[in-house]
Amino acid sequence: MVAWYSFVTIFILYFHGSFQPFTTMSVQKEIKRVTTHTLHEFKAKGTKIAMLTSYDFSMAGIVDQAGIDVILVGDSASNVMAGHETTLPITLDQMIYHASSVVRAVQRALVVVDLPFGSYQGNSRLALESSIRIMKESGAHAVKLEGGSEIRESVERILTAGIPVMGHLGLTPQSIYKFGTYNVRAKEEAEAQKLKEDALLLEKIGCFAIVLEKIPAQLAKTVSTSLQIPTIGIGAGPETDGQVLVLHDMLGINKEFRPRFVRRYAELADVMHNAVSSYIADVKSRDFPNSGEMY
Ligand code: KIV
């Protein structure tokens, strides 16, 4: 009798639309946390991956709540947060400080942290120690390293600890003094060939994704289609599996920096300048605070 009532109830709910079998429910469930597996599923389904940088709690919270897939705590913090000319001066301790602030704000996105210059090159033991410090002290989910075959040993050693690794090829800003300029990389055949081989190597040894920075769009397309793992482009055209921008560039906080690959989604420097000017004027004119803004 009880079983019969249950069957009728489920039948009515099903036609009413409020009953779903468990299999359908789990498929339709909202993504809770983006993981490296989610990114692989995105690539398989042809869903583009959206990634942005963040370096602090307040910004990371806004970016995460807007629904970004991946937050990169980039060593570009050296430029945009600290005002250095290059990414080289930022330290591991400073990266951990930025990363832990970001992690405290994030509920959904995968948080990837750059290993800073000098914390992994040429020494795989140091690379592992640096990565463990980042994961333990910040609570981030993955690390990113610049380079291909030169850093193979470091990448392999980090992976032995179960730490997911994102690669970064093309214009790798930690090598700026080797390149001499921030111009497009891999326009010549030899460099393009090495980049293709490095991408395959990084996939083979276990990287879960690769950033392709400032390379010809056609090369980025060739690399992206040759890999099972996703590529995330910056200045690499539309055929990579995802896109990344520096948050301060796309929000127009960095007014002077206007390379072709940055699309400005806001002019926050102007908005902030006007807000600060109004505040100064209100203080000087004694308009602020008024009777409703005091105790
Ligand atoms: O540090 C950074 O912001 C980066 C991106 C430009 C990919 O590495």
Side-chain angles (χ1 to χ4, degrees):
M1 192 63 167
V2 173
W4 190 81
Y5 272 125
S6 308
F7 178 76
V8 170
T9 311
I10 287 173
F11 187 78
I12 292 166
L13 287 174
Y14 188 82
F15 279 96
H16 183 249
S18 45
F19 173 79
Q20 290 173 324
F22 288 119
T23 47
T24 329
M25 271 167 75
S26 54
V27 170
Q28 288 181 352
K29 221 166 62 182
E30 271 278 297
I31 297 170
K32 284 274 185 309
R33 264 271 178 211
V34 177
T35 66
T36 57
H37 298 284
T38 319
L39 303 186
H40 290 176
E41 280 167 21
F42 282 2
K43 170 144 183 161
K45 285 191 212 143
T47 306
K48 294 280 187 182
I49 297 163
M51 170 161 137
L52 280 172
T53 64
S54 294
Y55 319 101
D56 67 50
F57 178 84
S58 309
M59 290 286 211
I62 295 169
V63 170
D64 187 53
Q65 278 158 35
I68 203 76
D69 300 314
V70 185
I71 291 183
L72 173 66
V73 184
D75 59 359
S76 49
S78 180
N79 311 106
V80 294
M81 300 303 283
H84 293 296
E85 204 180 308
T86 72
T87 57
L88 275 63
I90 199 159
T91 65
L92 184 59
D93 283 338
Q94 287 165 341
M95 288 304 296
I96 290 170
Y97 166 77
H98 287 296
S100 57
S101 308
V102 166
V103 167
R104 280 192 286 275
V106 169
Q107 289 175 352
R108 178 181 175 275
L110 182 80
V111 179
V112 182
V113 182
D114 266 334
L115 281 188
F117 178 68
S119 73
Y120 64 97
Q121 292 97 336
N123 185 340
S124 63
R125 183 186 289 264
L126 177 65
L128 178 59
E129 279 169 16
S130 305
S131 305
I132 288 176
R133 277 202 61 202
I134 287 179
M135 302 294 282
K136 232 183 205 324
E137 295 176 38
S138 77
H141 312 131
V143 295
K144 175 164 84 59
L145 283 73
E146 296 182 5
S149 54
E150 318 76 30
I151 56 154
R152 175 187 189 146
E153 225 180 282
S154 291
V155 172
E156 284 177 330
R157 198 152 186 170
I158 297 167
L159 288 164
T160 62
I163 299 171
V165 176
M166 179 180 270
H168 184 158
L169 298 171
L171 177 65
T172 45
Q174 291 178 13
S175 303
I176 187 57
Y177 292 115
K178 181 177 90 178
F179 298 145
T181 74
Y182 285 100
N183 290 347
V184 179
R185 300 307 312 173
K187 280 163 82 176
E188 308 300 330
E189 184 47 33
E191 197 176 330
Q193 187 55 34
K194 173 162 169 27
L195 190 144
K196 286 189 243 179
E197 287 165 13
D198 279 342
L200 288 169
L201 173 72
L202 291 177
E203 171 172 80
K204 189 174 121 205
I205 63 178
C207 286
F208 71 90
I210 302 175
V211 166
L212 297 176
E213 180 163 353
K214 232 173 164 186
I215 60 170
Q218 186 54 46
L219 174 61
K221 180 180 176 182
T222 305
V223 171
S224 303
T225 49
S226 76
L227 299 178
Q228 303 295 312
I229 59 171
T231 58
I232 307 198
I234 173 163
E239 302 292 343
T240 50
D241 303 302
Q243 297 291 330
V244 56
L245 285 175
V246 168
L247 185 66
H248 291 58
D249 299 342
M250 59 86 79
L251 291 179
I253 295 175
N254 259 349
K255 266 191 91 73
E256 287 75 37
F257 189 61
R258 298 213 75 144
R260 186 200 303 194
F261 65 85
V262 173
R263 184 180 292 181
R264 287 266 189 95
Y265 287 86
E267 294 295 342
L268 284 200
D270 295 338
V271 172
M272 291 168 78
H273 180 98
N274 292 341
V276 173
S277 301
S278 301
Y279 167 74
I280 294 167
D282 289 352
V283 171
K284 301 279 181 197
S285 68
R286 296 164 194 266
D287 178 76
F288 177 79
N290 63 27
S291 57
E293 293 164 328
M294 63 186 184
Y295 301 98

